[in-house]
Amino acid sequence: MELNGRMWILDDDDINTDVIYPGKYTYELFSPEEMAKHAMEDFDPTFAEKVREGDIIIAGRNFGCGSSREQAVSCMKYAGVSAIIAPSFARLYYRNSINQALYVIECAEASRYAREGKKELQHKEARIDLKKGLIAFGGREFDFTPMSGKALEIFEAGGLAPYTKKRLESVKG
Amino acid sequence: MGMTMIEKILARASGADRVQVGEIVFASPHRVLSHDNSAAILGIFEKMGGEKVWDPDRIFIALDHAVPPPDAKKATNHQMIRSFVAKQNIANFYDCGVGICHQVLPEYGHVVPGAVIFGSDSHTTTHGALGAAGIPIGRTEAASVWALGETWLKVPSTLKIELEGEMKEGVFPKDLILYIIGQITAEGATYKSVEFHGPVVRAMSIGGRMTLCNMGAEMGAKAAMVPVDESTKAWLDGIGAGEYEVLDPDPDADYEQVISIDCSSVSPQVARPHKVDNVVPVGDVGDVAIDVALLGTCTNGRFEDLEQAAAVLDGKKIAKGVRLLVYPASCKVLDEAYEKGIARVLLGAGAQIAVPACGPCLGAYGGVLAPGETCVSTANRNFKGRMGCKDETGIYLASPATVAASAIAGKIVANR
């Protein structure tokens, strides 16, 4: 499987769930479209209108730290983001991404290269080969460890909700 | 090779003799915790095709995040949750006003040593204070646990933090944990389990241990724990907790890293905007005028926290123009504060005492900031916009004593 999309290179480390999806919205039961409108609102208020289907986020360390709020993942997915690349992710953000079938990739080298060359590379195309574990942009390739095991099983089922649904159905069989 | 606490706990919860770091296990929880987000969780549960929850006695729900509900939508969420609770015969439901989930869960005996607690809230790490593994999960995972009774976990490595020396007078567990986060950073324990050891934690109250473990979430930890000792047992006896089996770390357990902190050198600390690891001694913070002082939340809303603040505020008045908001962590805490005269001291100083709940900590209601305002808070996060408004606002995290002293001074100062 291959992903192709424009890169959003974000310089910051520790981009937290409050700036990705503000707390004041977390107890509203929003539709996917409404959630998408608030993606990254307190980080970059123009992000939601500019982001396009398939876009790829490349950010700094500890992406998604803070709250357990799953909408910080869903809002990105509904906004069209196809993958997030960072040197490291907060644990809950990483789990929530697998459970929402949003591809997250730990790759320090790609993050460093993109951030150093941000001026030239911002919004340029990147290609990700999920099977081989390869990221390509700016004439360079970067390796990562592809998702495997239980995480991949959940991701391929389309997320934890469809995965659980299948398991429940097989029990009722 | 021996096992760490998390290894023993996950081995038992997954029905294995032992587990290895990095191994994926399926663990079944003693309790699965959620709060107002249960409205979203029950929707996902139903979409998954869930009909009956796997075990209504193991589900715990406390309403706390929008309490009392500030608008009709949030009131409707509560209504949906109440009707789900009735339909599913969920035994452990605590309605608005009982308190914050992380206070109510242990107060009502739902946390015992060695238990796995899954919680659809990032501060579920709090429950490690009683020797349990409080592991935060997301909403979809909570729905999946309601349906299947288990979820997958990667067995984490363990970071051991030795708290040596003695805390100076006027220094509190919050100062200590802010200092530690400042040292090891907001991702210092990412994916890891943390164990707090040493004479300082042994001498610490259960409430203080809860503050440490609660803030474990802010260093990225999957769980944060204190080994069980006589204080833990006495506390559990005091609330009439049932039977439990203590799972101690083995003396030859394999720790990924051991850090030693000399607590004697730690002074009152403050985390400056907008990161929890942006920590300095209060004395180095400079001239920071405040508009709001927030005392409470799951981090520092227990009786001892209110008592520490009251000791500072006794007979004094807060500065003109400052709002001192008090959110006790539970109704039991509030009751004790009335009983022992603490509430009167706080009110006398000019505080506003609210219904036990999360309040403005997460920025949804009940004391959110206006543009340009600054808050000193006993809560756990100071992210930009966290308290409801991102425009030139700033949140400083500190201990109850520092928050009280700052409310009197009208600017951030340590209690002298």
Side-chain angles (χ1 to χ4, degrees), chain B residues 13 17 36 45 49 51 70 78 104 129 146 194 241 258 270 273 324 336 343 376:
Chain B
D17 289 335
D36 301 44
F45 173 80
E51 287 164 11
H78 291 170
V104 175
W146 282 6
V194 174
V258 180
V270 59
L324 171 58
E336 193 175 354
V376 62

Side-chain angles (χ1 to χ4, degrees), chain B residues 300-323:
Chain B
N300 281 121
R302 282 169 283 279
F303 176 75
E304 65 194 60
D305 300 311
L306 271 45
E307 197 179 32
Q308 284 154 14
V312 177
L313 291 161
D314 197 5
K316 304 207 174 67
K317 291 276 178 203
I318 59 171
K320 198 162 180 269
V322 169
R323 288 105 69 192

